Amino acid sequence: MPVAETTISWVQEQFTSSIVPTLVEYIKIPNKSPMFEPAWRETGHMDKAVELLAGWARKQLPQGATLEVVRLEHEGKPRTPLIYIDIPATGGKPGDTVMLYGHLDKQPEMTGWREGFGPWTPVIEGDKLYGRGGADDGYAIFASLTAINALRRDNIPHARCVILIEACEESGSYDLPAYIDHLSPRIGDLSLVVCLDSGCANYDQLWSTTSLRGLVIGNLEVSLLTEGVHSGDGTGVIAASERVIRQLLDRIDDSHTGVVKLPELATQIPRQRILQAERTAQVLGDEVWNKFPLQDGVEPVTRDNVELILNRTWRPGMAITGADGWPSIGSAGNVLRPTTTLKLSIRIPPRVDPEKAQAAVKAMLEKDPPYGAKVRFEGGTASAGWDAPEIAPWLEQALDAASQRHFGKPAMYMGEGGSIPFMYMLGEKFPKAQFCITGVLGPGSNAHGPNEFLHLPTAKKLTLCVADVLAAHAQQP
Ligand SMILES: [Zn+2]
């Protein structure tokens, strides 16, 4: 039984009167993930964000539910906190538990925000709430709890639910395994995972994520000199560190095509995922690539949209996300610089072993350094991608019915190019669980970049879809 029409209006009203105003306050808090704010304990921003979201949630708790901010320590220092909400069942099979997952840590500022906009400056414009962390992934706790409250309102049975909101996702969720171990006896056995931290390829229907890529991150440092020298003196005699780094990067990917060369970073793409990519390409057409904020006249790497989808979801890809050893242009003299350091971010497909991939990248970069340069690839992390288990018929039907009801179009399935490290952990720990991974990160929403926005109509519809899926979960035979 899906939620009543009056409850649809109630959910919309919750967004207007309570959720959006709280998200506005949330966006103002610069609670960057620990990787980007190592002093997060001292600044107090993370605690402030936890207080705000937990404070809101406490006022919304369904009858019988409990909320705890769990704080574990590691080597005498606090880990990033975690909000844990436990909501008793009103139906479903005994012992069945649903986990709803989201995170409250944020990506760093990034440049390029529009005039009057900014990461910590919430702006509502039309259907969109701009600011860092609204869509990725602040809305998740609101959507999760509101979906359950919608069911309670209509006396529609749901299984026991636990909501987990972590604060370390954008840093690779390194604190999360300890929390899962700690909470494991309380969490119990999961039959369904709902994750609201993923993407949608348009705002017209419900999208489920069928795979995620993993990630290898590390800093590549190349040095040939112990200090900088006059470039008129040094060039032509000593190789520039940036030229050596270009050579090394060419070992990883082909600079003409972007194709990653290392076999350790590739996988066989399953037939069913190719079929899904073909179907998605039919629905999206050129939106696969023209959703990006392209300069005039810029072309994608190929015009074959199926290949673009597969590149984005099932093939590795490298980006350089930061650099050290370079002065800014205004203060750049004619110097042969001693050292160049680049931060490499390499997405890896599902089913690729992240540790082996990382070791392969390191070995390839560090072997036989040109001119005997000092080369190091260090400071890295590696996390696994994820490939969804086969979907159960009840879930497939529930997703489609929810999409038809709240969006007026069928549900769609697609892999995502980003990473949610926790999904792999859950898949390993609960091999029988079904996954409903979805989200609001659609065209233009630009999580991690400038001008991130939360598409409010989609957030509302998604909340209602989650409610209907939880209802169907409790009614499955
Ligand atoms: Zn996220």
Side-chain angles (χ1 to χ4, degrees):
M1 188 165 65
V3 294
E5 287 298 323
T6 51
T7 297
I8 295 178
S9 320
W10 176 80
V11 165
Q12 287 161 347
E13 167 55 24
Q14 288 300 299
F15 267 84
T16 311
S17 64
S18 170
I19 297 174
V20 172
T22 312
L23 275 172
V24 161
E25 293 310 307
Y26 174 71
I27 285 170
K28 292 177 189 169
I29 307 170
N31 54 310
K32 287 186 277 188
S33 199
M35 190 197 283
F36 313 106
E37 181 61 276
W40 64 270
R41 294 177 190 87
E42 290 75 34
T43 65
H45 299 313
M46 198 67 88
D47 286 328
K48 207 173 154 194
V50 167
E51 264 165 47
L52 178 69
L53 297 193
W56 180 89
R58 272 193 197 98
K59 288 190 223 136
Q60 316 288 329
L61 285 184
Q63 207 187 1
T66 56
L67 182 152
E68 186 188 341
V69 178
V70 190
R71 295 175 190 275
L72 296 181
E73 289 201 344
H74 179 60
E75 292 174 353
K77 282 183 170 177
R79 289 185 182 275
T80 48
L82 178 135
I83 302 176
Y84 179 74
I85 307 174
D86 198 327
I87 301 150
T90 57
K93 293 188 200 114
D96 235 4
T97 296
V98 180
M99 177 185 285
L100 299 100
Y101 163 84
H103 68 89
L104 60 76
D105 54 318
K106 299 177 185 176
Q107 279 279 320
E109 296 83 348
M110 190 62 197
T111 54
W113 290 78
R114 284 163 55 194
E115 183 76 36
F117 293 64
W120 325 124
T121 309
V123 177
I124 297 173
E125 189 183 72
D127 281 341
K128 297 164 186 165
L129 168 58
Y130 284 86
R132 177 65 79 230
D136 182 16
D137 185 39
Y139 86 104
I141 187 171
F142 300 93
S144 301
L145 209 46
T146 304
I148 294 162
N149 278 327
L151 296 176
R152 289 288 182 101
R153 223 179 108 85
D154 289 347
N155 293 316
I156 298 171
H158 64 78
R160 175 174 172 253
C161 295
V162 294
I163 301 177
L164 237 79
I165 306 294
E166 65 153 321
C168 194
E169 197 273 344
E170 303 290 5
S171 302
S173 294
Y174 59 76
D175 279 339
L176 196 52
Y179 280 103
I180 296 301
D181 282 349
H182 175 76
L183 293 169
S184 210
R186 285 156 72 182
I187 290 171
D189 198 15
L190 299 181
S191 64
L192 175 65
V193 174
V194 176
C195 167
L196 297 178
D197 185 32
S198 194
C200 50
N202 60 30
Y203 299 112
D204 303 329
Q205 54 212 126
L206 178 61
W207 288 85
S208 289
T209 301
T210 54
S211 67
L212 295 157
R213 285 195 290 184
L215 190 54
V216 170
I217 302 175
N219 303 324
L220 173 59
E221 185 185 285
V222 173
S223 184
L224 290 90
L225 296 165
T226 56
E227 59 187 14
V229 298
H230 195 300
S231 63
D233 192 17
T235 50
V237 181
I238 306 301
S241 57
E242 64 270 20
R243 187 164 69 76
V244 171
I245 227 167
R246 277 162 64 190
Q247 288 183 42
L248 297 178
L249 293 175
D250 264 340
R251 296 176 181 181
I252 305 296
D253 73 357
D254 182 326
S255 55
H256 292 280
T257 61
V259 172
V260 172
K261 297 170 177 173
L262 278 60
E264 292 88 345
L265 274 62
T267 191
Q268 180 92 33
I269 308 176
R271 177 95 194 103
Q272 204 214 355
R273 299 297 179 233
I274 297 174
L275 294 175
Q276 282 175 356
E278 286 169 355
R279 207 166 150 236
T280 302
Q282 279 166 15
V283 169
L284 296 181
D286 287 344
E287 217 189 335
V288 171
W289 57 270
N290 68 18
K291 67 171 184 173
F292 292 103
L294 298 172
Q295 299 281 10
D296 276 351
V298 168
E299 287 284 322
V301 300
T302 165
R303 279 296 190 111
D304 183 331
N305 290 331
V306 177
E307 284 302 300
L308 289 176
I309 291 169
L310 294 174
N311 281 352
R312 177 179 174 271
T313 54
W314 278 90
R315 293 185 184 124
M318 180 168 70
I320 296 165
T321 57
D324 275 337
W326 306 77
S328 62
I329 286 172
S331 52
N334 294 314
V335 174
L336 193 62
R337 296 172 305 99
T339 303
T340 298
T341 308
L342 298 179
K343 184 171 184 180
L344 309 186
S345 159
I346 307 172
R347 299 282 170 181
I348 54 173
R351 300 183 175 190
V352 165
D353 182 320
E355 267 80 39
K356 281 188 189 148
Q358 186 180 36
V361 170
K362 183 176 169 67
M364 185 57 95
L365 290 170
E366 291 183 350
K367 81 168 181 193
D368 306 330
Y371 309 105
K374 295 274 171 266
V375 175
R376 294 191 306 173
F377 181 69
E378 281 174 352
T381 59
S383 53
W386 174 80
D387 188 23
E390 197 184 337
I391 190 168
W394 75 263
L395 181 57
E396 196 167 15
Q397 282 160 23
L399 291 170
D400 205 51
S403 185
Q404 292 285 6
R405 178 155 192 239
H406 300 295
F407 288 89
K409 281 193 176 180
M412 286 288 296
Y413 298 87
M414 188 177 72
E416 277 295 337
S419 310
I420 312 174
F422 188 39
M423 293 307 111
Y424 178 78
M425 288 181 221
L426 283 179
E428 292 288 287
K429 205 170 163 68
F430 303 103
K432 279 188 241 145
Q434 287 285 299
F435 286 78
C436 167
I437 302 190
T438 183
V440 293
L441 304 179
S445 63
N446 221 16
H448 301 202
N451 308 310
E452 175 182 344
F453 66 74
L454 173 64
H455 191 259
L456 294 169
T458 300
K460 293 172 193 169
K461 289 173 192 172
L462 210 55
T463 302
L464 289 160
C465 287
V466 170
D468 284 356
V469 166
L470 291 178
H473 169 263
Q475 278 162 23
Q476 60 177 303

